[in-house]
Amino acid sequence: MKTPSAPDDRDATAAGLLLGAARHSAGRTAAVFLCSAASAAASLALPAVLGRTLDLLLERSPEADPWLLACTAVIVAEVLLDALVALLGGTTSARSAAWLRTRGVHHLLAAWPGHASRFPPGDVAVRLTANATEASTAPVSAATLGASLLAPTGAVVALFLIDPWTALTFLAGLPLLMLVLRAFARGSSDSVASYQRVQADIATRLVEALAGARTIAAAGTEARDRDRVLAPLPELAAQGSRMWRIHGAAVARSGVLMPLLTTAVVAVGGVRLASGDMSVGDLLAAARYAALAAGVGTAAGLLDSLIRSRAAGRRTAELMALPAMTYGTRSLPPEGRGTLVLRGVAVTRDGRRVLDGVDLTVPGGTSVAVVGRSGAGKSTLAAVAGRLTEPDEGTVLLDGVPLAAVPHDELRREVGYAFERPVLSGATLGEALAGRAPVAEEQARTDERVRAAARAASADAFVRLLPQGYATPPHTAPLSGGELQRLGLARAFARAGRLLVLDDATSSLDTVTEHQVERALARDVRHGTRLIVAHRLSSAARCDLVIWLEDGRVRATGPHEELWRSDGYRALFAPPEPTPTEPTSLEPIPPEPASPRTAERADR
């Protein structure tokens, strides 16, 4: 895969994306070009018709009336064609924007989560909204620009046909115009890219502030965080001013140059008229054609639109360049119980070995806790176990089949996840827990499965108290952190397969609720292998096996009772010692029992 950091590669990717948008709306884009070209043809015909009509009127010829009708027809046609171009251009850009956004979301969701996370949410929002909108205008701008060049080209040809001296006079100043447009394109490209980058930076800061709104309000740091969000504004203003200065300079220069060229053409035409080489109608036509030829200067606006589209397309294309997760075609054995095997697994992030040479075998049907200090690699191991990330080295097998060889639908059906901060997506809570909108004939069975999973996660009671129950839209449900976490567990329970991974998924639950959930998990949820990232002593004690990670390596595995004999293992669950400035409790903390697992079994 080409690296997205190289400008030439980004430009190539952006060009391919914009061409893809043009192909998606090829019919409409072609219609925009044809209507623009027809409008240009009408504008080219109008000076000749006007000139001929004027000569006939001056001669009081009876043939003037048909030519007057022809003038009217050409003017009406030009107006109608311009209106049609505006209508087709708007619908084409809208279709292209929808295609770009849909494609961007598809690539973003299909990418490896670790790769996609390098784009902050605010930056992604800008790329899929403002940048996609600007990029979507490229097909129409290109078609209009191509057609708009027909009128100046045809006008120069017409000047040659009327009188070569008028055409040569106009062409003498054309190189100066080309230099103006070239300087504009160079400067505008850089300023537009910088403006869009700062725009995304502000959006990212704003999304972060909105996500932490309660913390900001509680800390009373509204002013400081407002200043942090708006800190890039001076740079945004500077880039915006620079962008408009470049645009204004190009417009001003072409605005001075074009009238001068038109005036020069009219002056030469006046001399030719005085010498008898041109008629009054010819002079009128030459003046109109000079104005049309000068319209090449208006291409600066369309060129500016294309430059913006290319810069926005480059940013949007970076989402498309994310490597997609790939899947195989090999099915898992139907009799498998969820045996998980890791062989020499290593994962590197930002130059650091998060996992280093991990070799593990988790017997099918067992409950396994993964423990370790912060940064030990627990969540990375959980992600590798269900192929939410790909190891840089080594192999992960489920019931003897490499995860990379398992088809997508089967893998996501047989491997379930629950996270510390679950996100519920769906039109209703019921749909979010089911994972998809059920078809009509499956509705009753799906509803019962969802409710059973919610009961197992101790979530059914508070969901029923909501005004719309399971039909409540997730974004309107007033959920606490613990309730949201229980719904995340319910979603995982409803889709539990041969492997269920709980990545710190009970951290917001109180001890009693956690115990109820774990009992229901053992009794009411489909039996399979459980991989639980645990921080609490009770969670590790209830599991059949414990994996102790330290600095990305497996320090030890075994039952909790055996590992409890190690001072280092016990220290994982010990409260931090108070610093000299912190007050200490007057009551001593009672010592841990020699075998907490025995007490937990008694609770069951």
Side-chain angles (χ1 to χ4, degrees):
M1 184 187 69
K2 295 182 178 180
T3 173
S5 61
D8 54 338
D9 289 346
R10 290 202 309 268
D11 286 343
T13 305
L17 182 66
L18 297 182
L19 286 174
R23 285 194 296 269
H24 176 70
S25 300
R28 282 180 167 81
T29 303
V32 169
F33 177 80
L34 292 175
C35 289
S36 297
S39 176
S43 65
L44 282 172
L46 184 58
V49 175
L50 281 173
R52 178 58 178 164
T53 303
L54 180 59
D55 285 339
L56 292 174
L57 287 173
L58 290 175
E59 295 172 2
R60 299 184 183 276
S61 172
E63 298 179 4
D65 291 341
W67 282 94
L68 282 172
L69 291 176
C71 286
T72 304
V74 171
I75 292 172
V76 170
E78 187 175 2
V79 171
L80 291 178
L81 286 167
D82 287 343
L84 190 57
V85 168
L87 176 63
L88 287 172
T91 57
T92 302
S93 295
R95 281 175 55 87
S96 298
W99 182 80
L100 287 169
R101 289 175 182 143
T102 302
R103 189 173 176 85
V105 170
H106 173 76
H107 277 78
L108 194 64
L109 296 179
W112 292 100
H115 291 105
S117 63
R118 69 185 179 90
F119 294 104
D123 183 57
V124 170
V126 170
R127 290 173 190 265
L128 292 178
T129 53
N131 294 156
T133 299
E134 287 186 314
S136 68
T137 62
V140 173
S141 296
T144 307
L145 179 61
S148 69
L149 296 178
L150 296 177
T153 304
V156 173
V157 173
L159 286 175
F160 269 108
L161 294 176
I162 294 171
D163 189 273
W165 289 104
T166 58
L168 293 173
T169 301
F170 179 84
L171 292 177
L174 203 56
L176 293 176
L177 178 63
M178 295 298 103
L179 290 175
V180 170
L181 293 178
R182 182 183 179 189
F184 168 72
R186 284 184 173 180
S188 183
S189 180
D190 181 60
S191 63
V192 167
S194 300
Y195 186 88
Q196 292 173 348
R197 175 184 54 78
V198 180
Q199 196 177 39
D201 185 22
I202 293 176
T204 298
R205 295 173 185 232
L206 179 59
V207 170
E208 291 172 352
L210 291 175
R214 290 189 300 176
T215 302
I216 293 172
T221 59
E222 294 92 342
R224 186 188 69 187
D225 283 277
R226 180 196 61 214
D227 293 341
R228 184 184 68 84
V229 171
L230 300 179
L233 270 183
E235 185 182 357
L236 185 72
Q239 295 297 340
S241 298
R242 179 189 170 203
M243 185 169 59
W244 286 114
R245 280 198 308 271
I246 294 171
H247 182 78
V251 171
R253 289 166 184 164
S254 61
V256 171
L257 183 60
M258 290 300 99
L260 288 177
L261 288 176
T262 304
T263 303
V265 170
V266 173
V268 171
V271 172
R272 301 291 287 170
L273 175 64
S275 65
D277 295 317
M278 289 177 63
S279 67
V280 175
D282 288 339
L283 179 60
L284 174 63
R288 295 281 300 177
Y289 280 125
L292 280 177
V296 71
T298 63
L302 294 170
L303 185 61
D304 180 54
S305 177
L306 277 177
I307 290 171
R308 287 172 173 271
S309 297
R310 187 184 68 174
R314 185 185 300 125
R315 289 179 51 79
T316 307
E318 288 179 353
L319 295 180
M320 319 293 185
L322 291 172
M325 300 175 68
T326 57
Y327 299 89
T329 57
R330 185 175 170 186
S331 296
L332 295 170
E335 70 281 0
R337 298 186 59 201
T339 300
L340 181 67
V341 177
L342 282 75
R343 296 176 181 167
V345 169
V347 176
T348 303
R349 293 288 181 268
D350 298 325
R352 185 177 72 89
R353 283 273 191 171
V354 183
L355 292 179
D356 190 5
V358 174
D359 291 295
L360 283 173
T361 297
V362 178
T366 59
S367 179
V368 181
V370 181
V371 303
R373 298 192 183 279
S374 178
K378 302 183 296 297
S379 292
T380 304
L381 178 63
V384 166
R387 203 168 178 247
L388 288 185
T389 190
E390 192 84 324
D392 297 299
E393 299 175 17
T395 307
V396 183
L397 301 98
L398 183 63
D399 287 330
V401 180
L403 290 184
V406 181
H408 171 271
D409 291 346
E410 185 173 4
L411 179 64
R412 295 308 162 209
R413 184 175 62 248
E414 294 294 343
V415 180
Y417 271 91
F419 301 100
E420 178 183 7
R421 295 183 180 87
V423 176
L424 302 177
S425 58
T428 65
L429 288 176
E431 183 180 318
L433 300 186
R436 61 180 176 87
V439 295
E441 54 269 22
E442 296 179 355
Q443 184 70 53
R445 187 166 65 252
T446 301
D447 289 346
E448 179 53 37
R449 176 169 57 86
V450 166
R451 285 173 171 76
R455 288 192 294 270
S458 297
D460 181 68
F462 71 77
V463 172
R464 288 180 180 276
L465 292 176
L466 295 172
Q468 296 175 267
Y470 285 91
T472 303
H475 67 277
T476 65
L479 302 174
S480 67
E483 289 170 339
L484 182 61
Q485 205 164 68
R486 277 183 273 173
L487 288 175
L489 287 165
R491 178 176 57 188
F493 293 171
R495 306 178 67 187
R498 64 184 75 198
L499 174 62
L500 183 61
V501 182
L502 307 183
D503 187 359
D504 203 16
T506 60
S507 59
S508 296
L509 306 184
D510 58 80
T511 304
V512 175
T513 303
E514 181 186 20
H515 187 45
Q516 293 172 347
V517 169
E518 289 180 348
R519 290 181 61 184
L521 177 61
R523 184 180 64 244
D524 301 327
V525 181
R526 173 182 167 180
H527 187 64
T529 304
R530 321 293 195 208
L531 189 67
I532 303 169
V533 175
H535 293 277
R536 294 179 181 175
L537 172 65
S538 57
S539 299
R542 292 189 185 104
C543 289
D544 304 311
L545 190 68
V546 176
I547 300 170
W548 178 9
L549 289 181
E550 189 171 277
D551 295 329
R553 295 176 177 271
V554 178
R555 178 165 175 178
T557 59
H560 174 75
E561 297 94 330
E562 293 181 7
L563 298 181
W564 189 255
R565 302 189 187 103
S566 167
D567 293 339
Y569 181 78
R570 290 198 301 273
L572 295 176
F573 304 100
E577 296 184 2
T579 62
T581 58
E582 292 178 340
T584 57
S585 174
L586 296 178
E587 296 184 9
I589 299 175
E592 293 282 358
S595 179
R597 185 176 177 82
T598 305
E600 297 295 342
R601 285 176 174 166
D603 288 341
R604 292 183 182 180

